[in-house]
Amino acid sequence: MNDTTDRAQAEILKLSEALLLCQRELAQLREQQEGWEEKFSQLRSEARGAAERSTKLAGMLARPLADAYWHSRGRIPPGSLRDFIAARWPRLRKLVGRQPSPEVLAETRLVQMIEASPRFDARWYLEHNPDVAEAGAHPALHYLLSGGAEGRDPGPDFDSKAYRRQHPDLAPDANPLLHWLQSRDA
């Protein structure tokens, strides 16, 4: 019986040492966890700050990109006095600016439609497509030329991919927002 008691006590001693070792490891893991939680909290705060800065920068960038686009087309943004004069008095068109090609006119008309759409939000588009902002591309023009075909959304209230699923007859290179706008007007 003495031998059995000694073996039991030896086993208890081993288990006690193992338990102590586990408790030490657990304490170390808890310390590491606290460090990770602190670092995670710091990263979360930095991410919130970065998201706020991104939103602010997208808002600040949207208007200058649009202005640069319209300026590159030799026009003041749509609805300007220059457009009004050129439309009313064609002979004065030479004085207020050169006449763009039919292709450029078609493109600018489509860009105007996208910009005027209640479903297009230039700030939102830049914020959710940082590659477009980094490239310095005009948001509406980018959406017209490639964003729609790539399945990008023009704003928070229009899902390009869902629209394509609802309209399987839509050509792959067709712009979903323009299709929606034109079908509403038809």
Side-chain angles (χ1 to χ4, degrees):
M1 215 142 132
N2 221 0
D3 192 35
T4 307
T5 306
D6 288 343
R7 272 189 275 156
Q9 286 179 343
E11 188 65 29
I12 290 173
L13 186 62
K14 277 185 190 177
L15 290 173
S16 295
E17 289 173 354
L19 180 60
L20 239 120
L21 184 62
C22 286
Q23 287 173 336
R24 285 186 196 136
E25 287 177 5
L26 183 59
Q28 287 175 343
L29 288 174
R30 283 189 177 144
E31 281 181 39
Q32 286 178 345
Q33 181 183 10
E34 287 173 9
W36 292 333
E37 286 174 354
E38 186 177 317
K39 186 169 252 179
F40 181 69
S41 176
Q42 180 183 4
L43 289 173
R44 188 181 311 152
S45 175
E46 288 174 10
R48 269 195 305 272
E52 289 170 4
R53 286 189 302 280
S54 174
T55 300
K56 184 177 179 180
L57 288 173
M60 292 169 55
L61 191 56
R63 184 75 256 153
L65 288 174
D67 290 346
Y69 170 78
W70 290 111
H71 182 73
S72 75
R73 294 297 182 248
R75 295 174 48 163
I76 296 173
S80 68
L81 179 60
R82 181 186 291 183
D83 286 346
F84 176 77
I85 291 170
R88 292 275 192 214
W89 299 285
R91 291 183 183 178
L92 293 178
R93 189 170 288 154
K94 289 181 182 177
L95 294 175
V96 296
R98 65 186 179 353
Q99 182 65 23
S101 71
E103 294 82 17
V104 169
L105 286 173
E107 176 189 282
T108 55
R109 185 181 62 77
L110 294 175
V111 167
Q112 285 176 324
M113 284 178 66
I114 290 172
E115 284 183 332
S117 167
R119 301 287 188 253
F120 182 76
D121 183 338
R123 182 202 53 78
W124 186 93
Y125 190 78
L126 290 172
E127 184 181 344
H128 287 81
N129 298 286
D131 59 317
V132 177
E134 286 175 25
H138 179 253
L141 180 64
H142 181 273
Y143 183 75
L144 169 69
L145 298 179
S146 59
E150 293 170 357
R152 298 182 192 220
D153 296 331
D157 300 327
F158 190 89
D159 186 337
S160 294
K161 291 176 185 170
Y163 189 82
R164 281 191 180 283
R165 283 191 302 273
Q166 293 170 354
H167 298 86
D169 58 320
L170 192 61
D173 62 336
N175 188 289
L177 180 61
L178 284 177
H179 183 268
W180 178 74
L181 289 168
Q182 291 165 343
S183 65
R184 276 184 3 163
D185 293 341

Short mmCIF file of all heavy atoms in Angstrom, two decimals, residues 9-65:
data_model
loop_
_atom_site.label_atom_id
_atom_site.label_comp_id
_atom_site.label_asym_id
_atom_site.label_seq_id
_atom_site.Cartn_x
_atom_site.Cartn_y
_atom_site.Cartn_z
N GLN A 9 1.17 9.94 -4.86
CA GLN A 9 1.72 11.25 -4.48
C GLN A 9 2.66 11.77 -5.57
O GLN A 9 2.69 12.96 -5.87
CB GLN A 9 2.44 11.16 -3.14
CG GLN A 9 1.49 11.03 -1.96
CD GLN A 9 2.21 10.92 -0.63
OE1 GLN A 9 3.41 10.63 -0.57
NE2 GLN A 9 1.46 11.13 0.44
N ALA A 10 3.43 10.88 -6.18
CA ALA A 10 4.34 11.29 -7.26
C ALA A 10 3.51 11.80 -8.46
O ALA A 10 3.87 12.80 -9.10
CB ALA A 10 5.23 10.13 -7.67
N GLU A 11 2.41 11.10 -8.73
CA GLU A 11 1.54 11.51 -9.83
C GLU A 11 0.89 12.87 -9.52
O GLU A 11 0.80 13.74 -10.39
CB GLU A 11 0.46 10.44 -10.07
CG GLU A 11 -0.38 10.66 -11.30
CD GLU A 11 0.40 10.56 -12.59
OE1 GLU A 11 1.42 9.82 -12.66
OE2 GLU A 11 0.00 11.25 -13.56
N ILE A 12 0.47 13.05 -8.28
CA ILE A 12 -0.12 14.33 -7.86
C ILE A 12 0.91 15.44 -7.99
O ILE A 12 0.60 16.54 -8.46
CB ILE A 12 -0.67 14.23 -6.41
CG1 ILE A 12 -1.90 13.34 -6.38
CG2 ILE A 12 -0.99 15.60 -5.86
CD1 ILE A 12 -2.43 13.03 -4.98
N LEU A 13 2.14 15.16 -7.61
CA LEU A 13 3.22 16.14 -7.71
C LEU A 13 3.46 16.50 -9.17
O LEU A 13 3.59 17.69 -9.52
CB LEU A 13 4.50 15.59 -7.07
CG LEU A 13 5.67 16.56 -6.98
CD1 LEU A 13 5.31 17.76 -6.11
CD2 LEU A 13 6.88 15.85 -6.41
N LYS A 14 3.50 15.52 -10.07
CA LYS A 14 3.69 15.78 -11.50
C LYS A 14 2.54 16.63 -12.03
O LYS A 14 2.75 17.57 -12.78
CB LYS A 14 3.74 14.46 -12.28
CG LYS A 14 5.04 13.78 -12.30
CD LYS A 14 4.92 12.57 -13.23
CE LYS A 14 6.11 11.67 -13.13
NZ LYS A 14 5.95 10.48 -13.98
N LEU A 15 1.31 16.25 -11.66
CA LEU A 15 0.15 17.00 -12.12
C LEU A 15 0.14 18.43 -11.58
O LEU A 15 -0.21 19.38 -12.29
CB LEU A 15 -1.14 16.27 -11.73
CG LEU A 15 -1.42 14.97 -12.48
CD1 LEU A 15 -2.63 14.26 -11.88
CD2 LEU A 15 -1.65 15.22 -13.96
N SER A 16 0.57 18.59 -10.33
CA SER A 16 0.65 19.93 -9.73
C SER A 16 1.67 20.78 -10.47
O SER A 16 1.43 21.96 -10.75
CB SER A 16 1.02 19.84 -8.25
OG SER A 16 0.02 19.19 -7.52
N GLU A 17 2.82 20.18 -10.81
CA GLU A 17 3.85 20.92 -11.56
C GLU A 17 3.35 21.28 -12.96
O GLU A 17 3.57 22.39 -13.44
CB GLU A 17 5.13 20.08 -11.64
CG GLU A 17 5.87 19.97 -10.33
CD GLU A 17 7.05 19.00 -10.38
OE1 GLU A 17 7.24 18.32 -11.44
OE2 GLU A 17 7.77 18.91 -9.38
N ALA A 18 2.66 20.33 -13.59
CA ALA A 18 2.10 20.59 -14.91
C ALA A 18 1.05 21.69 -14.84
O ALA A 18 1.00 22.58 -15.71
CB ALA A 18 1.51 19.30 -15.49
N LEU A 19 0.22 21.65 -13.81
CA LEU A 19 -0.80 22.68 -13.62
C LEU A 19 -0.15 24.05 -13.42
O LEU A 19 -0.58 25.04 -13.99
CB LEU A 19 -1.70 22.33 -12.43
CG LEU A 19 -2.82 23.33 -12.12
CD1 LEU A 19 -3.76 23.47 -13.30
CD2 LEU A 19 -3.58 22.89 -10.88
N LEU A 20 0.90 24.10 -12.60
CA LEU A 20 1.62 25.35 -12.37
C LEU A 20 2.20 25.89 -13.67
O LEU A 20 2.14 27.09 -13.95
CB LEU A 20 2.75 25.12 -11.34
CG LEU A 20 2.61 26.00 -10.12
CD1 LEU A 20 2.46 25.14 -8.88
CD2 LEU A 20 3.82 26.87 -10.03
N LEU A 21 2.79 24.98 -14.46
CA LEU A 21 3.35 25.37 -15.75
C LEU A 21 2.26 25.92 -16.67
O LEU A 21 2.44 26.95 -17.32
CB LEU A 21 4.05 24.16 -16.40
CG LEU A 21 4.77 24.41 -17.71
CD1 LEU A 21 5.90 25.41 -17.52
CD2 LEU A 21 5.30 23.11 -18.28
N CYS A 22 1.12 25.26 -16.70
CA CYS A 22 -0.01 25.72 -17.50
C CYS A 22 -0.50 27.09 -17.02
O CYS A 22 -0.83 27.96 -17.83
CB CYS A 22 -1.17 24.72 -17.45
SG CYS A 22 -0.86 23.23 -18.42
N GLN A 23 -0.54 27.30 -15.71
CA GLN A 23 -0.99 28.58 -15.16
C GLN A 23 -0.01 29.70 -15.56
O GLN A 23 -0.42 30.80 -15.89
CB GLN A 23 -1.13 28.49 -13.65
CG GLN A 23 -2.33 27.69 -13.21
CD GLN A 23 -2.37 27.45 -11.71
OE1 GLN A 23 -1.35 27.48 -11.02
NE2 GLN A 23 -3.57 27.17 -11.19
N ARG A 24 1.31 29.39 -15.52
CA ARG A 24 2.31 30.39 -15.93
C ARG A 24 2.15 30.73 -17.42
O ARG A 24 2.19 31.89 -17.81
CB ARG A 24 3.72 29.87 -15.66
CG ARG A 24 4.11 29.90 -14.22
CD ARG A 24 5.57 29.51 -14.05
NE ARG A 24 5.82 29.17 -12.66
CZ ARG A 24 6.51 28.13 -12.25
NH1 ARG A 24 7.07 27.31 -13.12
NH2 ARG A 24 6.67 27.91 -10.97
N GLU A 25 1.99 29.68 -18.24
CA GLU A 25 1.80 29.90 -19.68
C GLU A 25 0.54 30.70 -19.95
O GLU A 25 0.52 31.60 -20.79
CB GLU A 25 1.75 28.57 -20.42
CG GLU A 25 3.10 27.88 -20.53
CD GLU A 25 2.99 26.52 -21.22
OE1 GLU A 25 1.89 26.15 -21.70
OE2 GLU A 25 4.02 25.84 -21.26
N LEU A 26 -0.52 30.40 -19.21
CA LEU A 26 -1.77 31.13 -19.36
C LEU A 26 -1.59 32.59 -18.97
O LEU A 26 -2.09 33.49 -19.67
CB LEU A 26 -2.87 30.48 -18.50
CG LEU A 26 -4.26 31.10 -18.60
CD1 LEU A 26 -4.79 31.05 -20.03
CD2 LEU A 26 -5.22 30.38 -17.66
N ALA A 27 -0.85 32.85 -17.90
CA ALA A 27 -0.59 34.23 -17.48
C ALA A 27 0.20 34.96 -18.57
O ALA A 27 -0.09 36.13 -18.88
CB ALA A 27 0.16 34.24 -16.16
N GLN A 28 1.18 34.29 -19.16
CA GLN A 28 1.96 34.92 -20.24
C GLN A 28 1.06 35.20 -21.45
O GLN A 28 1.16 36.27 -22.07
CB GLN A 28 3.12 34.01 -20.66
CG GLN A 28 4.25 33.94 -19.66
CD GLN A 28 5.31 32.92 -20.09
OE1 GLN A 28 5.08 32.07 -20.93
NE2 GLN A 28 6.48 33.02 -19.46
N LEU A 29 0.21 34.25 -21.80
CA LEU A 29 -0.69 34.44 -22.93
C LEU A 29 -1.66 35.60 -22.66
O LEU A 29 -1.98 36.36 -23.57
CB LEU A 29 -1.46 33.16 -23.23
CG LEU A 29 -0.65 32.03 -23.85
CD1 LEU A 29 -1.48 30.76 -23.95
CD2 LEU A 29 -0.13 32.43 -25.22
N ARG A 30 -2.11 35.71 -21.41
CA ARG A 30 -3.01 36.83 -21.07
C ARG A 30 -2.29 38.16 -21.22
O ARG A 30 -2.87 39.14 -21.69
CB ARG A 30 -3.57 36.65 -19.66
CG ARG A 30 -4.67 35.62 -19.61
CD ARG A 30 -5.36 35.59 -18.28
NE ARG A 30 -6.45 34.62 -18.30
CZ ARG A 30 -6.79 33.87 -17.29
NH1 ARG A 30 -6.15 33.98 -16.14
NH2 ARG A 30 -7.78 33.02 -17.39
N GLU A 31 -1.03 38.21 -20.82
CA GLU A 31 -0.24 39.43 -20.99
C GLU A 31 -0.10 39.77 -22.46
O GLU A 31 -0.26 40.93 -22.87
CB GLU A 31 1.15 39.27 -20.37
CG GLU A 31 1.20 39.43 -18.87
CD GLU A 31 2.62 39.27 -18.33
OE1 GLU A 31 3.57 39.75 -18.99
OE2 GLU A 31 2.77 38.67 -17.25
N GLN A 32 0.20 38.75 -23.28
CA GLN A 32 0.31 38.97 -24.72
C GLN A 32 -1.02 39.43 -25.29
O GLN A 32 -1.07 40.34 -26.14
CB GLN A 32 0.75 37.69 -25.43
CG GLN A 32 2.20 37.34 -25.23
CD GLN A 32 2.55 36.03 -25.94
OE1 GLN A 32 1.68 35.25 -26.33
NE2 GLN A 32 3.85 35.79 -26.08
N GLN A 33 -2.10 38.82 -24.84
CA GLN A 33 -3.42 39.19 -25.32
C GLN A 33 -3.72 40.65 -25.00
O GLN A 33 -4.25 41.38 -25.83
CB GLN A 33 -4.49 38.29 -24.71
CG GLN A 33 -5.89 38.60 -25.20
CD GLN A 33 -6.95 37.75 -24.53
OE1 GLN A 33 -6.68 37.03 -23.56
NE2 GLN A 33 -8.16 37.83 -25.03
N GLU A 34 -3.37 41.09 -23.80
CA GLU A 34 -3.60 42.49 -23.43
C GLU A 34 -2.81 43.41 -24.36
O GLU A 34 -3.31 44.45 -24.79
CB GLU A 34 -3.21 42.71 -21.96
CG GLU A 34 -4.18 42.11 -20.98
CD GLU A 34 -3.68 42.22 -19.53
OE1 GLU A 34 -2.68 42.90 -19.28
OE2 GLU A 34 -4.32 41.60 -18.65
N GLY A 35 -1.58 43.00 -24.66
CA GLY A 35 -0.76 43.79 -25.60
C GLY A 35 -1.39 43.84 -26.98
O GLY A 35 -1.42 44.89 -27.63
N TRP A 36 -1.89 42.68 -27.44
CA TRP A 36 -2.53 42.64 -28.75
C TRP A 36 -3.82 43.45 -28.77
O TRP A 36 -4.11 44.13 -29.74
CB TRP A 36 -2.84 41.20 -29.14
CG TRP A 36 -1.63 40.35 -29.42
CD1 TRP A 36 -0.40 40.77 -29.85
CD2 TRP A 36 -1.53 38.94 -29.28
NE1 TRP A 36 0.45 39.70 -29.99
CE2 TRP A 36 -0.23 38.54 -29.64
CE3 TRP A 36 -2.42 37.95 -28.87
CZ2 TRP A 36 0.21 37.24 -29.62
CZ3 TRP A 36 -1.99 36.64 -28.87
CH2 TRP A 36 -0.69 36.29 -29.24
N GLU A 37 -4.57 43.38 -27.68
CA GLU A 37 -5.82 44.16 -27.61
C GLU A 37 -5.51 45.65 -27.65
O GLU A 37 -6.22 46.42 -28.31
CB GLU A 37 -6.61 43.80 -26.36
CG GLU A 37 -7.29 42.45 -26.43
CD GLU A 37 -7.96 42.03 -25.14
OE1 GLU A 37 -7.82 42.74 -24.11
OE2 GLU A 37 -8.63 40.98 -25.14
N GLU A 38 -4.46 46.05 -26.95
CA GLU A 38 -4.06 47.46 -26.96
C GLU A 38 -3.63 47.87 -28.37
O GLU A 38 -4.03 48.93 -28.87
CB GLU A 38 -2.91 47.67 -25.96
CG GLU A 38 -2.51 49.12 -25.80
CD GLU A 38 -1.42 49.29 -24.75
OE1 GLU A 38 -1.50 48.65 -23.69
OE2 GLU A 38 -0.48 50.06 -25.04
N LYS A 39 -2.82 47.02 -29.01
CA LYS A 39 -2.37 47.32 -30.37
C LYS A 39 -3.55 47.33 -31.34
O LYS A 39 -3.65 48.20 -32.21
CB LYS A 39 -1.35 46.28 -30.81
CG LYS A 39 -0.71 46.59 -32.14
CD LYS A 39 0.46 45.69 -32.42
CE LYS A 39 1.67 46.57 -32.27
NZ LYS A 39 2.92 45.93 -32.45
N PHE A 40 -4.49 46.39 -31.19
CA PHE A 40 -5.67 46.33 -32.03
C PHE A 40 -6.52 47.58 -31.86
O PHE A 40 -7.01 48.15 -32.83
CB PHE A 40 -6.49 45.08 -31.71
CG PHE A 40 -7.72 44.92 -32.56
CD1 PHE A 40 -7.62 44.62 -33.90
CD2 PHE A 40 -8.98 45.09 -32.01
CE1 PHE A 40 -8.74 44.48 -34.69
CE2 PHE A 40 -10.11 44.95 -32.78
CZ PHE A 40 -10.00 44.64 -34.12
N SER A 41 -6.67 48.02 -30.62
CA SER A 41 -7.43 49.25 -30.34
C SER A 41 -6.76 50.45 -31.01
O SER A 41 -7.44 51.30 -31.60
CB SER A 41 -7.53 49.45 -28.84
OG SER A 41 -8.17 50.66 -28.55
N GLN A 42 -5.45 50.49 -30.93
CA GLN A 42 -4.70 51.59 -31.56
C GLN A 42 -4.87 51.54 -33.08
O GLN A 42 -5.12 52.57 -33.71
CB GLN A 42 -3.23 51.47 -31.18
CG GLN A 42 -2.36 52.56 -31.78
CD GLN A 42 -0.87 52.35 -31.44
OE1 GLN A 42 -0.50 51.36 -30.82
NE2 GLN A 42 -0.06 53.29 -31.84
N LEU A 43 -4.77 50.34 -33.67
CA LEU A 43 -4.94 50.19 -35.12
C LEU A 43 -6.37 50.56 -35.55
O LEU A 43 -6.56 51.18 -36.59
CB LEU A 43 -4.61 48.76 -35.55
CG LEU A 43 -3.14 48.38 -35.49
CD1 LEU A 43 -2.97 46.89 -35.78
CD2 LEU A 43 -2.31 49.21 -36.46
N ARG A 44 -7.35 50.17 -34.74
CA ARG A 44 -8.74 50.51 -35.04
C ARG A 44 -8.92 52.03 -35.05
O ARG A 44 -9.56 52.59 -35.92
CB ARG A 44 -9.67 49.86 -34.04
CG ARG A 44 -11.14 50.02 -34.43
CD ARG A 44 -12.11 49.40 -33.47
NE ARG A 44 -11.74 48.04 -33.12
CZ ARG A 44 -12.06 47.48 -31.97
NH1 ARG A 44 -12.75 48.13 -31.09
NH2 ARG A 44 -11.69 46.24 -31.71
N SER A 45 -8.31 52.69 -34.08
CA SER A 45 -8.38 54.15 -34.01
C SER A 45 -7.69 54.78 -35.22
O SER A 45 -8.22 55.73 -35.81
CB SER A 45 -7.73 54.62 -32.71
OG SER A 45 -7.68 56.01 -32.65
N GLU A 46 -6.53 54.26 -35.59
CA GLU A 46 -5.83 54.77 -36.76
C GLU A 46 -6.65 54.54 -38.03
O GLU A 46 -6.68 55.40 -38.91
CB GLU A 46 -4.46 54.11 -36.90
CG GLU A 46 -3.46 54.56 -35.86
CD GLU A 46 -2.15 53.78 -35.92
OE1 GLU A 46 -1.93 53.01 -36.89
OE2 GLU A 46 -1.34 53.93 -34.98
N ALA A 47 -7.30 53.38 -38.13
CA ALA A 47 -8.13 53.08 -39.30
C ALA A 47 -9.32 54.04 -39.39
O ALA A 47 -9.66 54.51 -40.48
CB ALA A 47 -8.63 51.64 -39.25
N ARG A 48 -9.93 54.35 -38.24
CA ARG A 48 -11.03 55.33 -38.24
C ARG A 48 -10.53 56.68 -38.72
O ARG A 48 -11.18 57.34 -39.52
CB ARG A 48 -11.63 55.45 -36.83
CG ARG A 48 -12.78 54.52 -36.57
CD ARG A 48 -13.57 54.92 -35.32
NE ARG A 48 -12.75 55.03 -34.13
CZ ARG A 48 -12.46 54.03 -33.30
NH1 ARG A 48 -12.96 52.84 -33.53
NH2 ARG A 48 -11.71 54.22 -32.24
N GLY A 49 -9.37 57.08 -38.22
CA GLY A 49 -8.79 58.36 -38.65
C GLY A 49 -8.48 58.36 -40.13
O GLY A 49 -8.74 59.34 -40.84
N ALA A 50 -7.94 57.25 -40.64
CA ALA A 50 -7.63 57.15 -42.06
C ALA A 50 -8.90 57.19 -42.90
O ALA A 50 -8.94 57.83 -43.96
CB ALA A 50 -6.85 55.86 -42.35
N ALA A 51 -9.95 56.53 -42.44
CA ALA A 51 -11.22 56.54 -43.17
C ALA A 51 -11.81 57.95 -43.20
O ALA A 51 -12.33 58.39 -44.23
CB ALA A 51 -12.21 55.57 -42.52
N GLU A 52 -11.71 58.67 -42.08
CA GLU A 52 -12.21 60.05 -42.04
C GLU A 52 -11.41 60.93 -42.99
O GLU A 52 -11.97 61.75 -43.71
CB GLU A 52 -12.14 60.59 -40.61
CG GLU A 52 -13.15 59.97 -39.67
CD GLU A 52 -12.91 60.34 -38.21
OE1 GLU A 52 -12.00 61.14 -37.91
OE2 GLU A 52 -13.63 59.78 -37.36
N ARG A 53 -10.08 60.76 -42.99
CA ARG A 53 -9.23 61.55 -43.90
C ARG A 53 -9.54 61.19 -45.36
O ARG A 53 -9.59 62.07 -46.21
CB ARG A 53 -7.75 61.33 -43.60
CG ARG A 53 -7.29 62.04 -42.33
CD ARG A 53 -5.78 62.00 -42.16
NE ARG A 53 -5.20 60.67 -42.12
CZ ARG A 53 -5.18 59.87 -41.05
NH1 ARG A 53 -5.72 60.28 -39.92
NH2 ARG A 53 -4.62 58.67 -41.11
N SER A 54 -9.76 59.91 -45.62
CA SER A 54 -10.09 59.47 -46.98
C SER A 54 -11.39 60.10 -47.46
O SER A 54 -11.47 60.58 -48.59
CB SER A 54 -10.19 57.94 -47.00
OG SER A 54 -10.63 57.50 -48.25
N THR A 55 -12.39 60.11 -46.60
CA THR A 55 -13.67 60.73 -46.96
C THR A 55 -13.49 62.21 -47.22
O THR A 55 -14.01 62.74 -48.22
CB THR A 55 -14.69 60.52 -45.82
OG1 THR A 55 -14.87 59.11 -45.63
CG2 THR A 55 -16.01 61.17 -46.11
N LYS A 56 -12.75 62.87 -46.37
CA LYS A 56 -12.52 64.31 -46.53
C LYS A 56 -11.76 64.60 -47.82
O LYS A 56 -12.12 65.49 -48.59
CB LYS A 56 -11.75 64.84 -45.32
CG LYS A 56 -11.54 66.33 -45.35
CD LYS A 56 -10.84 66.81 -44.09
CE LYS A 56 -10.62 68.31 -44.15
NZ LYS A 56 -9.96 68.81 -42.95
N LEU A 57 -10.71 63.82 -48.09
CA LEU A 57 -9.91 64.03 -49.29
C LEU A 57 -10.71 63.73 -50.56
O LEU A 57 -10.59 64.45 -51.55
CB LEU A 57 -8.65 63.17 -49.26
CG LEU A 57 -7.59 63.62 -48.26
CD1 LEU A 57 -6.46 62.60 -48.19
CD2 LEU A 57 -7.04 64.99 -48.64
N ALA A 58 -11.54 62.69 -50.52
CA ALA A 58 -12.38 62.37 -51.68
C ALA A 58 -13.33 63.52 -51.97
O ALA A 58 -13.53 63.90 -53.13
CB ALA A 58 -13.16 61.08 -51.45
N GLY A 59 -13.89 64.10 -50.92
CA GLY A 59 -14.78 65.25 -51.09
C GLY A 59 -14.04 66.45 -51.65
O GLY A 59 -14.56 67.19 -52.50
N MET A 60 -12.81 66.66 -51.20
CA MET A 60 -12.02 67.79 -51.67
C MET A 60 -11.54 67.57 -53.11
O MET A 60 -11.33 68.53 -53.85
CB MET A 60 -10.81 68.01 -50.76
CG MET A 60 -11.18 68.49 -49.37
SD MET A 60 -9.80 68.44 -48.19
CE MET A 60 -8.56 69.40 -49.01
N LEU A 61 -11.38 66.33 -53.52
CA LEU A 61 -10.83 66.02 -54.83
C LEU A 61 -11.89 65.98 -55.92
O LEU A 61 -11.59 66.26 -57.08
CB LEU A 61 -10.14 64.65 -54.74
CG LEU A 61 -9.27 64.19 -55.86
CD1 LEU A 61 -8.17 65.20 -56.16
CD2 LEU A 61 -8.65 62.85 -55.52
N ALA A 62 -13.12 65.66 -55.58
CA ALA A 62 -14.17 65.48 -56.58
C ALA A 62 -14.38 66.72 -57.45
O ALA A 62 -14.42 66.63 -58.68
CB ALA A 62 -15.48 65.08 -55.90
N ARG A 63 -14.51 67.87 -56.85
CA ARG A 63 -14.79 69.09 -57.63
C ARG A 63 -13.61 69.49 -58.52
O ARG A 63 -13.82 69.77 -59.71
CB ARG A 63 -15.15 70.24 -56.67
CG ARG A 63 -15.54 71.52 -57.35
CD ARG A 63 -16.96 71.46 -57.94
NE ARG A 63 -16.89 71.28 -59.38
CZ ARG A 63 -17.83 70.71 -60.11
NH1 ARG A 63 -18.90 70.24 -59.58
NH2 ARG A 63 -17.70 70.58 -61.40
N PRO A 64 -12.36 69.52 -58.02
CA PRO A 64 -11.25 69.88 -58.92
C PRO A 64 -11.09 68.91 -60.09
O PRO A 64 -10.74 69.33 -61.19
CB PRO A 64 -10.02 69.85 -58.02
CG PRO A 64 -10.53 70.04 -56.65
CD PRO A 64 -11.91 69.44 -56.64
N LEU A 65 -11.36 67.63 -59.87
CA LEU A 65 -11.26 66.67 -60.98
C LEU A 65 -12.33 66.95 -62.03
O LEU A 65 -12.06 66.87 -63.23
CB LEU A 65 -11.36 65.23 -60.46
CG LEU A 65 -10.14 64.73 -59.70
CD1 LEU A 65 -10.41 63.35 -59.10
CD2 LEU A 65 -8.92 64.68 -60.60
#
